[in-house]
Amino acid sequence: MNTTTMNLQVPQQRTAPRGATILGNLFANLLQSFRAAPAERNAERDVRRARALAAEWAVRDPRSAADLSAAIDRFEEQNGL
């Protein structure tokens, strides 16, 4: 009588070490506490900065500066600034 034996290699299911999920979440929360809060948006300040940028560009690239200025004008008109 002939017998055939077959060895199957089945990967073991890996699980995280005990407490790893909790420690990972605590570490992520700790890192989040060091992130800076997003700055408050201020439309008037943003428009002033964009106009200053357009003025800088006017020396090197007048066409792009004119396009930026037109976009700023449209933004102000649409938002009532």
Side-chain angles (χ1 to χ4, degrees):
M1 173 186 323
N2 273 342
T3 61
T4 305
T5 304
M6 216 176 186
N7 291 327
L8 297 177
Q9 294 183 356
V10 179
Q12 292 179 349
Q13 186 172 5
R14 303 233 177 215
T15 57
R18 197 173 305 143
T21 304
I22 294 170
L23 286 175
N25 288 338
L26 286 173
F27 184 70
N29 289 336
L30 176 69
L31 287 179
Q32 283 293 94
S33 68
F34 289 110
R35 292 185 76 189
E40 287 289 324
R41 297 303 308 248
N42 182 336
E44 286 91 14
R45 182 192 65 216
D46 292 344
V47 166
R48 280 194 310 271
R49 288 180 177 175
R51 289 213 184 273
L53 181 64
E56 288 177 27
W57 283 4
V59 175
R60 290 173 295 202
D61 190 356
R63 183 179 289 171
S64 293
D67 288 344
L68 180 57
S69 294
I72 295 167
D73 292 340
R74 256 190 325 274
F75 176 81
E76 284 182 316
E77 187 176 312
Q78 290 172 352
N79 292 294
L81 298 177

